[in-house]
Amino acid sequence: MVKRADNNIVLMSIHPKFARLILEGKKKVEFRRTSFAFHVSYVVIYATTPIKKVVGYFEVKRIQVANPEELWQLYSDVGGIEHQVYQNYYNDLDKGFAIEVGRVYQLNNFLSLDCISTSLIAPQSYMYLDKNLFNSIRLNQNLF
């Protein structure tokens, strides 16, 4: 069972191609090999190299846990990923996670991490984000 916490926002590193598809509304699920330790309501999108900026965020509808074959059957049409790349990503794991993307917010101006906080570094996968930092990010949004 996932624990609830006051800090229910994560900063997640996402490849720019997939970040763009999420912002455009074409990718409705983010596949992950591991899940969060706590309930998460928002995912802040950090587009990795070469962009290296926070580009937006989305509301988490729900997180589906299943074996990778089942996840592919459920989400292949909205996953924004080719089947071979998907198979390589899960590489014989018994369980995968699909984060369903809810309402998406794109930032008016993409933000470097040091503009948000000098203590932020790009997460390998994800990190929990302080609500005050999230509120400062929200001031730069467009609703999509």
Side-chain angles (χ1 to χ4, degrees):
M1 178 173 194
V2 175
K3 300 176 246 175
R4 291 212 172 253
D6 288 336
N7 196 356
N8 60 352
I9 303 144
V10 296
L11 174 66
M12 183 177 285
S13 292
I14 300 177
H15 187 279
K17 170 186 173 181
F18 300 126
R20 180 179 42 79
L21 290 173
I22 290 170
L23 294 176
E24 292 173 352
K26 296 176 183 171
K27 182 172 170 54
K28 302 278 188 189
V29 66
E30 176 64 17
F31 295 112
R32 289 289 157 150
R33 294 170 57 94
T34 59
S35 188
F36 309 120
F38 301 100
H39 167 79
V40 171
S41 298
Y42 294 96
V43 170
V44 176
I45 304 167
Y46 174 77
T48 59
T49 302
I51 295 174
K52 298 187 194 177
K53 294 194 180 203
V54 172
V55 297
Y57 63 95
F58 63 85
E59 295 174 4
V60 175
K61 271 184 164 175
R62 74 179 183 142
I63 299 175
Q64 181 73 32
V65 182
N67 73 52
E69 276 185 34
E70 290 176 69
L71 290 179
W72 183 254
Q73 289 173 359
L74 289 169
Y75 299 110
S76 62
D77 58 334
V78 294
I81 189 170
E82 296 82 20
H83 190 244
Q84 186 61 49
V85 175
Y86 177 86
Q87 286 181 316
N88 291 342
Y89 179 69
Y90 280 110
N91 195 25
D92 298 328
L93 288 180
D94 294 332
K95 180 170 57 171
F97 302 88
I99 304 165
E100 291 184 16
V101 176
R103 183 175 277 182
V104 176
Y105 304 83
Q106 182 172 326
L107 299 187
N108 292 324
N109 300 302
F110 296 170
L111 301 172
S112 64
L113 293 177
D114 60 347
C115 285
I116 299 166
S117 170
T118 56
S119 65
L120 273 181
I121 59 169
Q124 183 70 23
S125 178
Y126 72 89
M127 65 183 283
Y128 292 95
L129 193 63
D130 178 87
K131 285 185 180 183
N132 292 328
L133 294 179
F134 180 58
N135 287 333
S136 69
I137 292 167
R138 293 171 87 169
L139 296 174
N140 290 288
Q141 74 188 25
N142 280 335
L143 176 61
F144 285 88

